[in-house]
C-alpha cells in the first residue's frame, strides 16, 4: 500500500500541478536502533556520538525519485533542530551518491515550528499540546497539492486530515533484517 501511494504521487506530479510531500522524520524516515556504535551498518547513523539511528529501507531511493520527478520534498519533525539538521545532511549525502544530478535538501521544520494548541498548564503531554500545521511549510494555495507522511496522528490538525498519510504506529528498538532486494528504479 505504501509503495502504491508513492507511485500515485509521482505519477500525478507535473510542473504545472506541483506536489509537495512532507516527510516526518522519527519513526517514518529514521528509527532508533540498538546496535552498538562499533556495529553501525551502512544504513545506520550515529548522532552526537551516542544515539544510533537507522534510515528506513528505501527512504533514500524514494526521496531521490520524488526529487527527480519534480516533487517538492520537505521535512517536518517534532525533534530538536540540531539532530534534524544532522540527519538531513547525512540523508542528502546518501541521496547524492545515487542521484544523476546534485540535490540539495531543505532544512527540516523542527520542534520550534510546531504549533502549540494548549499550554503546559493544560497537563497534557507534548504530543497532545502541539500540532504540525502544514501551513507552516506551504502556502494556503499549495496546501491542496500537499501530503504529509507521518506515523503519529496526534500531531495532526483535524482540519488538515485529508493531507495526512498515516503509517502504522512505531515500536521502539525493532529488529530489522537487511533489505533482501533493491528497490527497482522507476
Amino acid at each position: 500500500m505504501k509503495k502504491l501511494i508513492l507511485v500515485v504521487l509521482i505519477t500525478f506530479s507535473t510542473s504545472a500541478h506541483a506536489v509537495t510531500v512532507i516527510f516526518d522524520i522519527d519513526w517514518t524516515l529514521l528509527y532508533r536502533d540498538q546496535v552498538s556504535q562499533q556495529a553501525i551498518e551502512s544504513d545506520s547513523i550515529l548522532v552526537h556520538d551516542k544515539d544510533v539511528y537507522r534510515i528506513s529501507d528505501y527512504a533514500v531511493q524514494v526521496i531521490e525519485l520524488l526529487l527527480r520527478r519534480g516533487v517538492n520534498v520537505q521535512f517536518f519533525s517534532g525533534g530538536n533542530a540540531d539532530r534534524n539538521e544532522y540527519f538531513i545532511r547525512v540523508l542528502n549525502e546518501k541521496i547524492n551518491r545515487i542521484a544523476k544530478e546534485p540535490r540539495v535538501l531543505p532544512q527540516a521544520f523542527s520542534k520550534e515550528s510546531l504549533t502549540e494548541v494548549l499550554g503546559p498548564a493544560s497537563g497534557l503531554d507534548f504530543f497532545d499540546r502541539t500540532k504540525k500545521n502544514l501551513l507552516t511549510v506551504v502556502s494556503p494555495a499549495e496546501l491542496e497539492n500537499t501530503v504529509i507522511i507521518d506515523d503519529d496522528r496526534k500531531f495532526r490538525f483535524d482540519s488538515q486530515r485529508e493531507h495526512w498519510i498515516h503509517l502504522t504506529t512505531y515500536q521502539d528498538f525493532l529488529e530489522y533484517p537487511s533489505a533482501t532486494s533493491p528497490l527497482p528504479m522507476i
Side-chain angles (χ1 to χ4, degrees), residues 127-139:
F127 299 102
D128 291 318
R129 290 192 334 260
T130 58
K131 305 290 180 205
K132 292 179 181 176
N133 184 352
L134 303 183
L135 295 174
T136 302
V137 180
V138 298
S139 71

Side-chain angles (χ1 to χ4, degrees), residues 19 23 36-37 51 67 96 116 125 133 148 151 178:
V19 171
F23 285 96
S36 70
Q37 291 180 17
D51 296 321
L67 292 167
N96 279 311
E116 193 163 336
D125 68 17
N133 184 352
I148 182 169
D151 68 293
S178 295

Side-chain angles (χ1 to χ4, degrees), residues 1-10 147 149 165:
M1 182 65 167
K2 293 175 197 171
K3 289 179 185 176
L4 174 63
I5 291 168
L6 292 174
V7 169
V8 169
L9 291 171
I10 293 166
V147 295
I149 301 172
I165 297 173

